[in-house]
């Protein structure tokens, strides 16, 4: 039976992905920090799964390599080797760079980027030895474009993007499929919290793409895993951004800088 491990599987996009696999009778391991929220997710999914025993929950902080490695190894000992790893654990804390502080900056890098690397490392050796396995990393539209107020988050998601690209080229020779996806704003508990802190200047940029339901994002991700697609885009705008963004950067910068200046009351440089 297929064993799917999902970091961040207790909420939002990760939970929506878990829900699709649960209804297919897959063995599922969900990893997150809060035991209470994990238990809620397990109960919710148990209604869909063939047997409650097919859903395992483990508490671990992905930013702590020892914790996440041990948790993943416990999941593999119980349910067999990992066939599919989805790394959805992530945090977002918007704020202008000078107000963000190094703790909040580092927390986003440690969770979103290092947390992804740690989870991948925990399954990677086994996958390459078996000559099979799939890894899907959740980056973001913010992993394709630098956005006002998102210096740490964008850095962490660009890092995931670069990691996925490089690892893909190493892994394919070992029969391991590495993928990365770039979701737009998605209706999840985290998104609701984030909106309260999103600067108006960021809304001017991010408002270009309207929010998606988590189920729709999860559906495209699972479909991409099945087809072994490397990059998954959501909607025409983010597809164009991913494929042609770097080529049209000067135009995008000009366009967004104008929109941002309008939101900031026309002041684009300090002191002017
Ligand atoms: N929603 C959106 O608009 C978008 C989200 N994304 C990305 O999708 C992913 C999921 O986000 P979303 O579903 O919105 O967020 P949620 O907050 O709804 O879910 C995040 C999940 O990650 C877990 N998590 C967070 N930090 C850690 C940690 N240090 N160790 C282990 N687990 C952790 C949470 O559980 P717990 O807190 O208990 O640990 C929870 O299960 C993130 O990587 C996010 O950046 C990308 C594009 C858009
Ligand atoms: C030819 C090119 C056209 C260019 C259009 C550019 C549009 C940019 C939209 C960027 C959206 C990023 C959403 C990230 C959401 C996210 O990760 C957070 N919500 C996390 O919680």
């Amino acid at each position: 039976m297929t064993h799917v491990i999902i970091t961040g599987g207790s909420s939002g996009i990760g939970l929506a992905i878990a829900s699709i696999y649960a209804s297919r009778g897959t063995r599922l391991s969900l990893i997150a920090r809060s035991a209470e929220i994990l238990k809620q997710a397990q109960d919710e999914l148990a209604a869909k799964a063939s047997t409650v025993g097919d859903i395992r929950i483990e508490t671990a902080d992905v930013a702590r390599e020892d914790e996440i490695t041990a948790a993943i190894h416990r999941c593999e000992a119980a349910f067999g080797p990992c066939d599919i790893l989805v790394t959805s654990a992530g945090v977002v804390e918007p704020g202008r760079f000078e107000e963000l502080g190094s703790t909040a900056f580092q927390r986003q890098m440690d969770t979103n980027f290092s947390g992804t690397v740690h989870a991948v490392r925990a399954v990677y050796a086994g996958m390459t030895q078996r000559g099979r396995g799939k890894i899907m990393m959740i980056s973001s539209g913010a992993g394709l474009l630098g956005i006002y107020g998102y210096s740490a988050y964008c850095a962490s998601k660009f890092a995931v993007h670069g990691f996925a690209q490089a690892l893909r080229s190493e892994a394919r020779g070992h029969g391991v499929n590495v993928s990365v996806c770039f979701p737009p704003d998605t209706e999840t508990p985290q998104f609701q919290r984030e909106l309260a802190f999103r600067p108006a200047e960021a809304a001017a940029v991010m408002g270009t793409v309207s929010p998606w339901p988590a189920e729709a994002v999860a559906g495209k991700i699972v479909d991409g895993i099945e087809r072994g697609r490397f990059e998954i885009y959501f909607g025409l705008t983010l597809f164009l951004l991913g494929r042609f963004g770097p080529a049209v950067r000067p135009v995008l910068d000009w366009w967004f800088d104008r929109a941002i200046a309008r939101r900031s009351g026309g002041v684009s440089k300090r002191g002017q």
Side-chain angles (χ1 to χ4, degrees):
M1 201 190 275
T2 309
H3 180 196
V4 181
I5 300 180
I6 307 176
T7 71
S10 67
S11 173
I13 296 173
L15 177 59
I17 293 170
S19 171
I20 294 173
Y21 282 116
S23 59
R24 293 183 181 182
T26 308
R27 277 184 163 165
L28 270 174
S29 298
L30 313 181
I31 304 174
R33 290 164 305 174
S34 160
E36 199 183 319
I37 299 171
L38 276 167
K39 186 75 183 73
Q40 278 170 24
Q42 188 182 36
D43 291 344
E44 190 183 317
L45 295 173
K48 298 187 181 158
S50 41
T51 56
V52 182
D54 285 343
I55 302 163
R56 222 189 126 76
I57 52 175
E58 283 281 348
T59 56
D61 182 343
V62 293
R64 302 176 64 108
E65 185 166 19
D66 49 346
E67 268 184 31
I68 180 63
T69 304
I72 286 180
H73 290 164
R74 279 195 297 275
C75 295
E76 291 193 304
F79 277 177
C82 175
D83 297 294
I84 299 172
L85 170 72
V86 179
T87 60
S88 190
V91 288
V92 57
E93 294 170 75
R96 276 178 285 276
F97 178 66
E98 75 270 24
E99 288 151 13
L100 199 53
S102 64
T103 309
F105 197 104
Q106 201 58 40
R107 184 161 47 233
Q108 293 176 79
M109 289 300 290
D110 289 348
T111 308
N112 304 352
F113 173 54
S114 303
T116 298
V117 176
H118 296 151
V120 168
R121 193 186 297 285
V123 301
Y124 190 71
M127 285 185 174
T128 55
Q129 274 156 26
R130 293 187 297 279
R132 61 189 301 267
K134 293 180 172 186
I135 296 169
M136 170 61 80
M137 304 185 211
I138 316 268
S139 175
S140 162
L144 301 169
L145 179 78
I147 302 169
Y148 188 110
Y150 285 80
S151 55
Y153 184 74
C154 286
S156 73
K157 293 298 188 177
F158 267 73
V160 169
H161 185 177
F163 173 56
Q165 255 188 46
L167 190 66
R168 170 189 172 273
S169 67
E170 292 183 23
R172 61 201 311 250
H174 296 288
V176 177
N177 208 290
V178 173
S179 307
V180 59
C181 64
F182 306 98
D185 276 336
T186 306
E187 286 147 11
T188 67
Q190 171 159 266
F191 177 58
Q192 292 310 321
R193 291 192 296 272
E194 174 197 348
L195 282 182
F197 299 96
R198 178 174 288 183
E201 293 89 341
V205 175
M206 294 164 112
T208 313
V209 177
S210 33
W212 280 45
E215 294 70 27
V217 168
K220 278 208 78 164
I221 290 172
V222 172
D223 186 64
I225 293 171
E226 253 158 42
R227 292 165 192 250
R229 300 268 306 279
F230 172 52
E231 293 160 315
I232 317 290
Y233 297 104
F234 303 79
L236 181 64
T237 308
L238 282 176
F239 172 79
L240 292 175
L241 181 66
R243 287 294 161 84
F244 305 110
V248 296
R249 279 311 303 275
V251 179
L252 283 181
D253 287 345
W254 170 80
W255 181 37
F256 285 132
D257 285 349
R258 268 180 65 222
I260 287 169
R262 231 177 277 131
R263 297 277 176 125
S264 324
V267 182
S268 60
K269 282 185 192 146
R270 208 179 271 274
Q272 277 191 348

